[in-house]
Amino acid sequence: MERIRLTTAQALVKFLNQQYVDYGGGPERFVHGVFTVFGHGNVLGLGQALQEAPGELTVYQGRNEQGMVHAATAFAKQSRRRKIMACTASVGPGAANMLTAAATATANQIPVLLLPGDTFATRQPDPVLQQMEHTYNLSITVNDAFKAVSKYWDRVTRPEQLMSAMLNAMRVLTDPGDTGAVTIALPQDVQGEAWEYPADFFRKRIHRVIARLPHPQEIAAAAELITSKQRPLLVCGGGVRYGDAGAALRAFAEKFAIPFGETQAGKSAVASSCEYNLGGIGVTGNGCANALAPEADLVIGVGTRFTDFTTASKSLFSHPEVEFLTLNASPYHAAKLDALAVVCDAAEGLNALAAALEERGYRSAYTDEIAQAKKSWAAERERLAGVEYPANTGNTGAFTPEVAGQLDEKLPEYAEVLGTSLTQTQVLGIINEAIPQDAIVIGAAGSLPGDMQRMWNSEVPDTYHMEYGFSCMGYEIAGALGIKLAEPGREVYALVGDGSYQMLHSELVTSLQENRKINVLLLDNAGFGCINNLQMEQGMDSMATEFRHRGTDGQLSGELMRIDYAASAAGYGVETFRASTVEELRTALAAACQSERSTLIDIKVLPKTMTHGYGAWWNVGVAEVSGKEAMQEAYDRKRSGLETARSY
């Protein structure tokens, strides 16, 4: 048997270059590059291998380990999980910084390969720089923390272990039903140790991802269930997009007159203008989908995990005879809500089910309910997009924000300090209208995901990219870079709040370094607005969620902070704009689209002017004992919600 003498790191790089996937259209390269922040735990091992023989792997210089993994996650997500990036960091804090992003990838079932450096396998220099020592177990290192956030975890303590570790890594990374972050911990001494690897280990490997066909018995049972129902409702999840099943879902909905709501991950699989597309559903859903959901006697989940936001903590689908049917590549997710499970690829399942229903001559009993609900929501969306703060008239006291009764009396202060009259819903309406239809928008945490799931109209497939499985602040800008690497020919817009921007925007610099233009639309309302809404509507006073100086009372109750985010980004070399009026915003959007380098528009908006409500309850932890009457009332509302929600 032919053998090749290589270091562990060199063998790893050579192996990654030989990995391909085939989804039925022929082999495509799977691993496209490596993001890295080099340190002593990886620079002389994996770094040496990438410098001397990178093959076709592009090495990207990250600025923050969490940010670079977010970029890799977004790259894979936008590529519908058919292309991935690897990420390597040094031992200790470099590795630990990747944990949050690893959890984000796993929660969303997006493949990303993590290669953190580790302490010495020989233990000769213990404790090596950045090593965490556990006196009860010397084998534990920082990298053991990845076990909780990875779909597969391994540590290579001998060069020959690399082979089984990487073959298992590829198994999980290419599994549509159970993928996520894969962590292979690499002790820094082992990275440089050599072994004679079998040449066959480095042959071209094609991982054939076969669309799983549904079992005929499951399809027959599903068709029987549907034909017994009058008003079924589809839920379009992320699996529809990853499985390229948007056309199949639309054809299914149109053929049998079944409306569908979109999850955050499923949005833009089908055009918003489709007559059966109700838009966002659940806690961040709109008044259209959430009005029809309680009337559905059957909920058909397609590629969805049925999270608490989609189901309104299991309270939204409240028809007394409602049942659940799920099509999902994962048996675990397919069985949620005690559903009739059809374990399959989304498109294959929909097509097989369509054939079975056609034989039975099925059609739903909906008449004009769908059209009326969509018409009503269109009018509401138009109202939201037109909400204006009457700064120029001086009659600001007559203005009622969307989230009313919380900071109403402080709005004039915000308008003066921020120098703005813009409302958040107004801004989103303008942006949706102004940017190219094929542009990709990305968001993550805060109030923007709710506004966007409700208000954003998508007509081009795969142009809405939302991370809401982990709701990770800081994903937006790094993710925009990952999207741009996946789709270099499209404009990419990161919609981000001021809170998220402060948490993580380091990969703006990488976008400049790589000449990969992204556009950051920063909505500044001087606080963590989403959580301020939550605490106040549950009976708390505003506390540590507004961006205020410390006051004379010792609390964060002083003057509002006014931060010039455009100035901070300009220091990196980003082309920046400021907007506090409709005219300034429209002008800035037009100029940003024409720019050849990354841009940032610092948009000042008033708090409490985001969308709110639309009939979905959310179960959150509320204090059972409180001296405040408002909090006692909030706890009573929670108990009432639980009484009407499903228990499992």
Side-chain angles (χ1 to χ4, degrees):
M1 177 185 295
E2 181 185 357
R3 291 185 174 270
I4 305 173
R5 184 171 176 78
L6 297 169
T7 69
T8 303
Q10 291 164 357
L12 172 59
V13 171
K14 190 175 182 68
F15 176 84
L16 293 179
N17 271 283
Q18 291 295 92
Q19 305 309 302
Y20 291 77
V21 291
D22 187 349
Y23 279 77
E28 301 177 66
R29 181 172 296 280
F30 188 46
V31 187
H32 283 252
V34 180
F35 273 99
T36 180
V37 175
F38 282 131
H40 74 281
N42 65 344
V43 67
L44 300 177
L46 196 51
Q48 183 273 342
L50 287 168
Q51 182 182 64
E52 290 196 13
E56 296 191 42
L57 298 176
T58 301
V59 178
Y60 297 96
Q61 184 182 48
R63 264 65 197 177
N64 174 286
E65 292 88 355
Q66 182 186 149
M68 71 184 189
V69 180
H70 284 327
T73 301
F75 173 87
K77 181 172 183 173
Q78 193 63 34
S79 302
R80 287 178 295 146
R81 307 192 297 196
R82 301 180 182 193
K83 303 176 185 177
I84 69 165
M85 296 277 190
C87 298
T88 177
S90 188
V91 61
N97 277 350
M98 296 198 292
L99 284 166
T100 299
T104 302
T106 295
N108 287 278
Q109 296 191 277
I110 304 299
V112 62
L113 175 60
L114 306 179
L115 304 169
D118 211 330
T119 57
F120 275 65
T122 64
R123 301 186 185 174
Q124 182 277 325
D126 285 10
V128 69
L129 179 66
Q130 298 180 331
Q131 180 173 342
M132 182 179 293
E133 294 183 280
H134 292 271
T135 56
Y136 69 95
N137 187 338
L138 294 181
S139 70
I140 294 176
T141 76
V142 167
N143 288 341
D144 286 271
F146 283 94
K147 293 176 180 177
V149 294
S150 300
K151 285 288 186 166
Y152 179 78
W153 184 97
D154 204 346
R155 177 180 281 124
V156 177
T157 58
R158 292 180 56 87
E160 57 266 41
Q161 291 176 353
L162 180 72
M163 295 180 291
S164 62
M166 293 312 301
L167 291 174
N168 276 301
M170 290 300 137
R171 170 181 59 82
V172 175
L173 289 167
T174 59
D175 183 348
D178 198 31
T179 191
V182 167
T183 301
I184 306 297
L186 300 170
Q188 54 188 294
D189 52 344
V190 178
Q191 290 180 46
E193 292 177 4
W195 194 65
E196 292 189 356
Y197 288 90
D200 184 64
F201 179 59
F202 305 111
R203 75 178 189 274
K204 179 178 179 179
R205 278 187 171 79
I206 301 174
H207 305 274
R208 291 179 173 83
V209 183
I210 308 299
R212 181 166 178 170
L213 300 177
H215 194 282
Q217 291 181 1
E218 292 180 341
I219 289 296
E224 183 178 349
L225 176 60
I226 293 174
T227 53
S228 71
K229 300 295 184 177
Q230 299 293 306
R231 286 178 168 77
L233 174 71
L234 289 154
V235 177
C236 172
V240 175
R241 291 180 61 181
Y242 306 141
D244 199 19
L249 182 94
R250 179 169 187 161
F252 187 91
E254 292 175 343
K255 182 173 291 185
F256 305 109
I258 302 175
F260 62 92
E262 301 170 311
T263 70
Q264 291 281 16
K267 190 174 175 70
S268 81
V270 180
S272 298
S273 59
C274 170
E275 66 175 307
Y276 292 99
N277 189 347
L278 305 177
I281 194 168
V283 177
T284 52
N286 63 36
C288 176
N290 288 352
L292 291 185
E295 303 301 320
D297 54 7
L298 175 65
V299 178
I300 308 171
V302 185
T304 177
R305 297 186 299 123
F306 279 126
T307 67
D308 63 338
F309 262 58
T310 298
T311 67
S313 299
K314 300 184 175 70
S315 69
L316 184 61
F317 307 115
S318 56
H319 189 283
E321 297 178 6
V322 68
E323 294 184 73
F324 294 85
L325 164 65
T326 304
L327 282 63
N328 202 297
S330 163
Y332 173 78
H333 296 309
K336 286 180 177 176
L337 297 174
D338 201 19
L340 172 59
V342 181
V343 182
C344 64
D345 168 78
E348 294 290 350
L350 286 167
N351 291 336
L353 192 53
L357 291 177
E358 202 164 15
E359 286 182 2
R360 292 163 169 79
Y362 178 78
R363 190 172 177 84
S364 79
Y366 289 101
T367 54
D368 64 343
E369 300 97 324
I370 300 169
Q372 290 301 318
K374 284 179 68 74
K375 181 180 179 181
S376 176
W377 174 250
E380 171 65 358
R381 184 191 178 280
E382 184 177 359
R383 182 193 70 80
L384 290 167
V387 172
E388 294 186 41
Y389 183 72
N392 296 329
T393 67
N395 190 25
T396 57
F399 179 75
T400 302
E402 294 302 300
V403 186
Q406 296 183 5
L407 297 178
D408 298 14
E409 74 285 355
K410 294 182 179 180
L411 285 183
E413 177 193 6
Y414 274 93
E416 181 180 357
V417 173
L418 296 178
T420 190
S421 60
L422 290 172
T423 68
Q424 188 160 305
T425 58
Q426 178 186 36
V427 165
L428 281 177
I430 292 169
I431 295 171
N432 198 180
E433 177 187 288
I435 69 173
Q437 275 202 337
D438 67 345
I440 300 165
V441 294
I442 176 174
S447 61
L448 283 170
D451 288 356
M452 293 179 68
Q453 191 182 14
R454 292 177 179 125
M455 291 187 64
W456 197 266
N457 287 332
S458 302
E459 292 305 314
V460 178
D462 296 339
T463 52
Y464 182 90
H465 184 122
M466 185 65 65
E467 190 291 291
Y468 215 57
F470 207 55
S471 185
C472 186
M473 297 177 71
Y475 176 85
E476 302 93 330
I477 293 173
L481 171 63
I483 294 171
K484 190 67 175 182
L485 293 173
E487 303 238 32
R490 292 193 186 187
E491 288 289 314
V492 180
Y493 292 84
L495 281 86
V496 59
D498 48 329
S500 276
Y501 182 84
Q502 290 181 39
M503 282 198 178
L504 186 63
H505 61 265
S506 53
E507 304 319 305
L508 253 179
V509 177
T510 310
S511 76
L512 295 168
Q513 180 181 36
E514 295 292 335
N515 294 314
R516 299 291 189 181
K517 178 203 171 187
I518 61 175
N519 304 284
V520 179
L521 306 179
L522 192 158
L523 279 69
D524 175 17
N525 61 9
F528 296 126
C530 176
I531 299 304
N532 182 270
N533 291 348
L534 178 63
Q535 67 181 178
M536 296 193 75
E537 69 187 11
Q538 299 298 331
M540 284 184 65
D541 295 328
S542 178
M543 175 189 175
T545 49
E546 299 177 75
F547 293 166
R548 293 183 177 274
H549 293 278
R550 193 162 298 279
T552 56
D553 59 358
Q555 306 301 315
L556 294 172
S557 58
E559 294 181 353
L560 282 169
M561 300 179 70
R562 193 185 195 284
I563 301 173
D564 190 342
Y565 294 103
S568 76
Y572 297 137
V574 173
E575 186 169 358
T576 59
F577 309 88
R578 296 173 178 84
S580 57
T581 67
V582 169
E583 294 74 18
E584 289 173 348
L585 178 58
R586 292 189 186 280
T587 299
L589 287 167
C593 191
Q594 295 302 314
S595 177
E596 295 183 355
R597 69 176 190 270
S598 291
T599 70
L600 181 144
I601 306 178
D602 187 349
I603 309 167
K604 305 300 185 188
V605 298
L606 294 169
K608 307 298 177 181
T609 61
M610 60 283 285
T611 59
H612 189 60
Y614 300 105
W617 173 70
W618 188 34
N619 185 3
V620 292
V622 181
E624 187 172 355
V625 178
S626 172
K628 291 192 64 179
E629 183 179 349
M631 287 216 69
Q632 293 174 356
E633 292 173 352
Y635 183 75
D636 289 341
R637 290 196 300 272
K638 172 191 171 76
R639 289 204 311 177
S640 297
L642 284 172
E643 289 174 1
T644 58
R646 291 171 59 93
S647 299
Y648 63 93

